[in-house]
């Protein structure tokens, strides 16, 4: 295995950990340790490979999960925020608005549960970057 392949595998291992443990308190040094890298090198390399910083990736993943919960459950927004890993409701609302373009309450009011396989819902409603959600579906 080449050094580049090894580094990419370690980055994927760290990204998988963020996907799996998104609701837990995660920080860049802790995730960098999973990839056996320093925090600075991990952040630079992660951004070069995946196109966004580790923090932004984790925030986007958390918001994706929150969008699904808001669309599919009647759980209060405060509980959704806690379930996806936000300690502060105001931080959750601010981040949600910057990613989706609407507050969680506004999103929920417009969201309609879709009767298609969940993989399509996730692909259609995945926030592509901060400030703009992709809209291939009815969200």
């Amino acid at each position: 295995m080449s050094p580049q392949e090894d580094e990419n595998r370690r980055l994927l291992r760290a990204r998988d950990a963020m996907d799996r443990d998104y609701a837990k308190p995660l920080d860049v040094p802790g995730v960098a340790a999973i990839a056996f890298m320093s925090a600075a090198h991990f952040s630079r390399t992660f951004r070069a490979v995946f196109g966004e910083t580790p923090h932004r990736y984790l925030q986007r993943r958390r918001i994706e999960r929150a969008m699904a919960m808001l669309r599919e459950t009647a759980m209060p927004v405060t509980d959704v925020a806690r379930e996806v890993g936000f300690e502060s409701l105001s931080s959750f609302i601010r981040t949600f608005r910057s990613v989706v373009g609407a507050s969680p309450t506004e999103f929920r009011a417009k969201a309609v549960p879709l009767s298609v396989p969940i993989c399509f819902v996730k692909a259609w409603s995945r926030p592509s970057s901060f400030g703009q959600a992709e809209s291939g579906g009815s969200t």
Side-chain angles (χ1 to χ4, degrees), residues 15-123:
R15 190 182 72 172
D16 289 347
M18 286 191 279
D19 287 340
R20 181 183 55 252
D21 298 329
Y22 67 90
K24 294 180 180 176
L26 297 172
D27 60 7
V28 172
V31 178
I34 295 168
F36 301 107
M37 297 178 184
S38 71
H41 181 68
F42 175 72
S43 291
R44 275 192 311 274
T45 309
F46 190 97
R47 183 175 184 156
V49 171
F50 297 115
E52 60 189 340
T53 65
H55 178 73
R56 179 170 279 186
Y57 179 83
L58 180 59
Q59 295 296 73
R60 188 169 52 81
R61 284 295 189 209
R62 287 175 171 169
I63 295 303
E64 280 180 14
R65 303 309 195 269
M67 290 168 66
M69 293 173 80
L70 290 167
R71 187 176 29 253
E72 298 163 8
T73 72
M75 185 182 291
V77 173
T78 304
D79 294 344
V80 170
R82 281 194 201 109
E83 284 287 317
V84 298
F86 283 87
E87 294 178 13
S88 161
L89 179 61
S90 62
S91 176
F92 171 69
I93 292 171
R94 186 173 45 257
T95 304
F96 193 96
R97 185 180 296 278
S98 73
V99 173
V100 178
S103 73
T105 305
E106 293 166 343
F107 174 81
R108 176 177 267 164
K110 290 189 244 176
V112 178
L114 302 175
S115 58
V116 296
I118 191 68
C119 59
F120 287 109
V121 173
K122 285 180 179 179

